[in-house]
Amino acid sequence: MLFFRKNVLALTGLFLCLFLLVHFAANFLLLLPESMARSMYNSYSTTLRSNPLIKLVSFVLLASIFFHVVYAWVVTRRNRAAKPQAYVMNEAHENSTWTSRNMGLLGVCLLVFLVVHLAQFWARIKLGIGPKVGLDAQGHVDVYDVAKHLFHNVYVVGFYALLMIPLGLHLYHGLKSAFVTLGF
């Protein structure tokens, strides 16, 4: 059963990494000159919101996050229950990295980041929570404007930059572990 849980953890983690790559690449549109960026980013965002395939992927994404968190918790609890006492002649840092021992802490940081990010973008754009989002010249929801105003706040930029550290550490260890678990 542990084999199944670790495979679910690895596969959901790899899917989440794939999503992150696509999300990261799409956000590069924000770096174009404003006249191009606004049009392209808002058109891209409109396409995502109206595409039925993307809606299906968003449900898979949500399920992946849920199962990744649940199975990570289950695997961690079972591992700790299997050996409740530390080895007498062993220091933790001799067998594992700080990152591997603290994946749970890093994961909690990422969950906090995810909730904040979804509140700032998804809840505002999809649910209409918060300040009203206008339309651009083509009649698309002006997601570019939301991002532009949000990232002009130094505290928001600092929060995002700071949370990239646990993201990078989590991805570094998680990708290595996923490939080992899946036999690559």
Side-chain angles (χ1 to χ4, degrees), residues 36-160:
M36 288 175 56
R38 182 180 303 276
S39 172
M40 292 175 73
Y41 196 72
N42 289 340
S43 178
Y44 166 77
S45 297
T46 299
T47 301
L48 288 181
R49 284 191 312 279
S50 61
N51 187 322
L53 179 60
I54 298 300
K55 290 181 189 213
L56 174 64
V57 170
S58 69
F59 287 115
V60 173
L61 179 63
L62 184 62
S64 291
I65 292 168
F66 175 79
F67 285 113
H68 192 76
V69 169
V70 168
Y71 279 92
W73 185 78
V74 168
V75 167
T76 301
R77 297 283 296 159
R78 292 199 180 244
N79 286 347
R80 286 190 181 148
K83 182 66 178 157
Q85 299 162 333
Y87 291 104
V88 176
M89 298 298 291
N90 219 354
E91 296 292 326
H93 68 275
E94 293 176 359
N95 294 336
S96 59
T97 64
W98 181 90
T99 303
S100 69
R101 292 188 309 275
N102 290 284
M103 286 297 277
L105 173 65
L106 297 170
V108 169
C109 290
L110 297 180
L111 280 175
V112 168
F113 173 77
L114 183 62
V115 168
V116 170
H117 184 63
L118 289 174
Q120 291 173 329
F121 286 96
W122 183 80
R124 186 166 171 200
I125 293 158
K126 292 281 278 184
L127 303 177
I129 297 172
K132 184 159 174 47
V133 180
L135 301 178
D136 67 5
Q138 288 78 33
H140 297 135
V141 174
D142 202 349
V143 178
Y144 175 86
D145 194 54
V146 173
K148 178 183 172 186
H149 282 91
L150 192 62
F151 289 111
H152 271 86
N153 181 325
V154 70
Y155 297 111
V156 172
V157 172
F159 174 78
Y160 273 72

Side-chain angles (χ1 to χ4, degrees), residues 161-172:
L162 182 65
L163 270 290
M164 291 303 107
I165 295 168
L167 175 62
L169 292 171
H170 198 84
L171 289 173
Y172 176 75

